[in-house]
Every structure is written in C-alpha cells, then in structure tokens.
Amino acid sequence: MEHSSFLFQAVIYLAAAVIAVPLATRLGLGSVLGYLIAGVAIGPHALGLVGDATEEMHVAEFGVALMLFLIGLELQPRKLWRMRGAIFGTGGAQLLLTAAAIAAVALLIYEKSWRPAVAIGLILGLSSTAIVLQSLSEKGLLRTEGGRSAFSVLLFQDIAVIPILALLPLLAGNMPDIEAGGLSGWPYALAVIGTMVAFVLAGRYLLGPLLRLVAGSQLREMFTVTSLLIVVSAAAVMIWLDLSPALGTFMAGVILAESEFRHELEADIQPFKGLLLGLFFIAVGASVNFNLIAQYPLLLLALTLLLVVVKFAVLFTLARLTRMSKGEDWLFALSLAQAGEFGFVLISFAAQRQVLESTTANLLVVVIALSMALTPILLLIYEQFVQPRYLHGGSADRELDEAPPEDHGSPVIIIGYGRFGQIAGRLLNACGFETTLLERNAEQLDLVRRYGIKAYYGDASREDLLHAAGADNAKLVILTLSDQAASLEIVAQIRKHFPHLVILARARNRMHQYALMEAGVKYIFRETVDSALSIGETALRLLGLSTLQARRATRKFKQHDQRMLESLFPYWRDESQHIAQTKIYREQLLQALKEDRRDKDLHLDHHWDQGESKSKPGM
C-alpha cells in the first residue's frame, strides 16, 4: 500500500511539473516560478493532492548540493582565489548589514527581547542559492557583474550557515552543543580541519586514479554511479559533522575542477540536479500555508514586502558603495532580495532551541516561501523595465567582455586527441587559440596529460557533454576520429543541437569522406593524402624529375583527385557505377599528366617559379 502511495505521489509531482513549467516558460515567467506554481496547486492548502511536503523537502535539498557541486567544477582554485575579495568582502558586508537592518525592524515589531530579533535577522539575511542561481543561469545573467557578485554573496552565505548554527543556541541563553559522531570541543574542531585536509588529499591522489579505472571499463553507467558516489559521500561527511552538505559538495567540485574528467562529471550529474531542484521548488510551493495566509493575510503580505524592501535597500546601497555598474546594481539587489532555503532549517533549529516561539516560526516559514516565490517576478521586472534602460549604455555587454577568457569557453573543441588531433591542437595553441580537448580513451588521455597537455575525458556523441564542454560558445569543432560510425554519430548530434558550429572532420578513406559529405560536413581531410603526396613527390625527384616538375605534377594530381572525388559522390553507394567512373577519371588523369610531360615549358614556368622565389628571399 505504501509503495502504491509513493508511486501515486510521484505521478502527481511529475504531472504538475509537466503541465506548469512549460506554460510558465511560454509566458516568460521562467521554470522556477512554474515549479513553485505547480507546488502551490497540488499542495495540502490548495487542491490537496499531496500532503505535508517536509519529507520531499529533505530529499530535494540534495538538489541544492548537486548544484553547488556543478558550480565548484566550473571554479578552478586559482579562479576562486581571485574571487576571495568579493566572497568575504561583499558577502560578509551583505550578511552583517542585512541581518542588522532586519533585526532592527524585527525589534520594533517583536518587542519582547533582542535575542529573537537577532535570530530573525540572521535567518532572513540569507538568500536562496537554489532559486537565484537557477534563475540567473536560465536567463544568461550569471556571468554579468551583478550575477557574479550575487554568486559570491551566496557562496559566503552557504559558509556562514555553520557559525549561525553555532550562534543560535547562545541566543537562547544556552552554550552551543555542536557535536558529531560523539565528538565535541577540540576533538570536533580537529575533525573538521582533518576532514577539509582529507578532501584535498583525496581529490589529488585518490579520485583521479579511481575515475581513470572506471573510465577504462567503458561502462557509462559506472561513471554515473561513481559521480553520484563522490557527491553523496561529500554531503554525508558534512552532515556527520553538522555542517552544510552544499558546502561539502562545493568543495568536492572545486577540488575536481582541474580534473580531466570534469566535463564528464558535469554531464552525468546535470540531470539529477535538474530533477531534484525541480522537486525542491515544488516542495517550497507546497509548503506555503494558505490557512495561515487566510488567517493573517495583511500581516503576511506586509511582512513579505517589508523583507524584500529592506533587503533590496541594503543590497542596492552596498552595490553603489562598491561602485557596481548602473543596471548591474539593480540585478544584484533584486536577485538577492528574498530569504533562502536554509531559512527553513534554521527556523526549525531555532524553534527547537526555544529561540523563537512556534507562532513566530510558522509565520516566518510562510514569509520565506512567499519571498522566494517573488524572486522570478522581481527578475522579470528587471528584464522588462530595468535592463532595457541601461542596455544602450552597454554596461552589461562590457561586463561580459571583461570576464576572464575561460568563462566563455574555448573557441575550438577538438574531439579525439590521438596523433592526428595533437598536431592540429599544437598548431592552434602555438598561434594563441585556446582549445578544449575531448578524448574517450582513458589510456591515451593519461598519456597526453603526462606531457602537460590538458585534455578531458568524455563521449562527444552525448549532447549533455558537448554542452558541458562549451559547445554553445565555441566556433569550430575539429573531429579527428578514424571510426566512421562514431564520427557520423557525433556529426549528427552537432548539426542537430549546435548548428552554429563549423565542423572540420578527418576521413579515414574515400568511403568515410563520402559519408561525411552526405552528413553535411563541408571541410573534410583524408588522413593520408598530404603525407602520401609528399612521398610521391620525393620519389619523382629521385627518379630524375626536377623539383619544379615534381611539384607541379603533385599539385595537378591533387586537384584532379579532388575533382574526381566530388564528381563520384553521386555514385558512392553504387559500386559498379563507382568503379566504372573511377576508371574513366584515371585515364583522364594519366592523359593530362602525359601532356604536361610533353610540354617543353613545364620546367620554364617563369611566373610560378619567380613568384615562389620572391616569396622566399634568401632560399
């Protein structure tokens, strides 16, 4: 019976998402608001199709942890170090100023004591990592100045949850009693420090060999299992230490950001993150207590608007003090003007420690949920009214241009980094062009990385992995695989999902080239043509032809061969016709070269010879 009940609830959650999210997206409201609307509709206080969403919320909070892991994968340690000023400077100032302002307002309303007011200030001073990052990423605003500043603040807030948990018992007049696994005091502190060190050492010396071993098995599902194991283990260790699981998964992501398996990890985790975050937003919508709203409608509306206004005022002032660009200050303030998902946990903790009364706690839960639901609307206001006003000034565009080059991805993706791909990649790198290198063979990947070449593990026939590798922002794809079936599968994926990319493909032979031509690839290079022609040209010189004669014969042969290949393309699937036409073209080539040999001026081609001499002085 419980099993069927679980399946019934799953059907309701999935059906609500399938109906509400596409409608909200079509109306320009974004997927987050669609999930929230779905949660409200099926919640116990609306249609009543699902009961209390508390259990679902606990499961869905893991979606936030997965999101932080993916963000960590995008932040190499050196990039994170560059952001330290924004994280601890702007983030610390935001939390202190916002908490102080909210505490002051709460003290005016909540006249009993300053302790609950401070607790309310700290809890409501946090913003929603899940909603803000998902919304900004969806709208392409995460890489703007305002988006990057918002991310820095959210990262500091996730770290700050730990000391806030330690501080709340003090506000109740009790000594903090934080412990994990029976540890407390100095042993607990040493356990935390030891865990952080263990994270770094495991990422450097353990996870790399483990991932290489799994990749060598060529079993895609095992790599997915390993990816989830890494994330779940990081979260579980942090929960055991009474720390934020999201912080643990973020650290794991940062540690693996330099790994050759980064793109494959991102592609494997992404679907789980999207599913669990969607469940989280639905659970938030379902948790809105409409009975309480019906009982105190004006009070809750006033408190929610007051919270948003106070947070916006503090954030906007901070943005102006840090000289944030005009327009970007609005984005920064509007995106962080809500309360966050960690507020639900902190309110429950504060109520248990008797810092907050149960009535106050229930009211705050609704205020947090309502403020989170307002965020997509605030960002919609920014897009419709604020952004157009400053767009002509170019501030947003300038910030995008000023972002570090690696934020935009590489302009070239090289798929297959064997002997063929290495030469092309080295030439591009020598000319100053960045490349993202994808290789599916784990042994080959290990070999090239020992030479200091940075390449990533991944199956490029997967759309999600191409997204992770930066195909949306790239310009070219160099496809060097000799396997015809694999290369054609990748071409199909690129032409379907990334039609803007120009494909330069290696062909193993004529049949492979014909298949690539049929697939719509314009730039195709047979792997042995140039080297074979070089051998032939050298042989002609050794057989008595002059250098000029050998070069011209080779050039004429190459031109004729290319014309023949293009002319034979319509017959490539008809073997008899293809053979017959090939014989005709071979006879034509033989006759053309004989005529050239009879030409007395072959070795006196002054225009070509003199032009070459002028172009190479001193040769």
Side-chain angles (χ1 to χ4, degrees), residues 120-241:
I120 293 170
L122 290 170
I123 293 169
L124 298 184
L126 302 174
S127 301
S128 173
T129 302
I131 288 182
V132 175
L133 293 185
Q134 178 76 2
S135 299
L136 291 179
S137 178
E138 221 174 63
K139 297 174 183 297
L141 298 171
L142 197 53
R143 287 178 177 158
T144 62
E145 183 187 10
R148 293 199 305 271
S149 298
F151 168 72
S152 300
V153 167
L154 290 168
L155 184 54
F156 178 84
Q157 290 179 1
D158 287 335
I159 298 170
V161 169
I162 302 163
I164 291 174
L165 280 169
L167 185 60
L168 285 176
L170 285 175
L171 295 175
N174 303 320
M175 290 299 292
D177 186 24
I178 299 179
E179 62 176 47
L183 301 177
S184 60
W186 280 108
Y188 172 77
L190 290 174
V192 172
I193 296 170
T195 300
M196 302 302 177
V197 174
F199 266 46
V200 176
L201 294 177
R204 184 174 293 273
Y205 300 110
L206 178 63
L207 294 182
L210 173 64
L211 290 170
R212 276 190 286 275
L213 178 65
V214 174
S217 71
Q218 296 292 313
L219 295 173
R220 179 178 168 184
E221 66 274 13
M222 285 309 301
F223 204 96
T224 303
V225 169
T226 308
S227 304
L228 288 172
L229 174 64
I230 292 169
V231 179
V232 172
S233 299
V237 169
M238 286 298 180
I239 291 173
W240 179 75
L241 290 170

Side-chain angles (χ1 to χ4, degrees), residues 137 156 170 186 223 280 296 491 506 510 514 549 558:
S137 178
F156 178 84
L170 285 175
W186 280 108
F223 204 96
F280 173 79
Y296 307 104
V491 167
R506 164 197 185 183
R510 286 178 179 271
Y514 287 141
Q549 286 176 322
K558 186 175 182 180

Side-chain angles (χ1 to χ4, degrees), residues 415-416 439 479-484 486-487 490 506-508 512:
I415 299 173
E439 172 59 57
L479 180 57
T480 71
L481 302 183
S482 60
D483 186 321
Q484 179 173 326
S487 66
I490 292 170
R506 164 197 185 183
R508 187 174 183 180
H512 191 179

Side-chain angles (χ1 to χ4, degrees), residues 531-547 549-551 553-554 597:
S531 56
L533 288 174
S534 295
I535 291 175
E537 182 182 329
T538 302
L540 288 174
R541 290 203 308 271
L542 293 172
L543 289 169
L545 271 66
S546 68
T547 300
Q549 286 176 322
R551 277 186 193 168
T554 302
R597 290 288 304 277

Side-chain angles (χ1 to χ4, degrees), residues 15-31 33-35 37-38:
V18 167
I19 295 170
V21 175
L23 286 175
T25 306
R26 182 177 288 272
L27 293 173
L29 302 176
S31 66
L33 192 56
Y35 283 119
I37 292 171

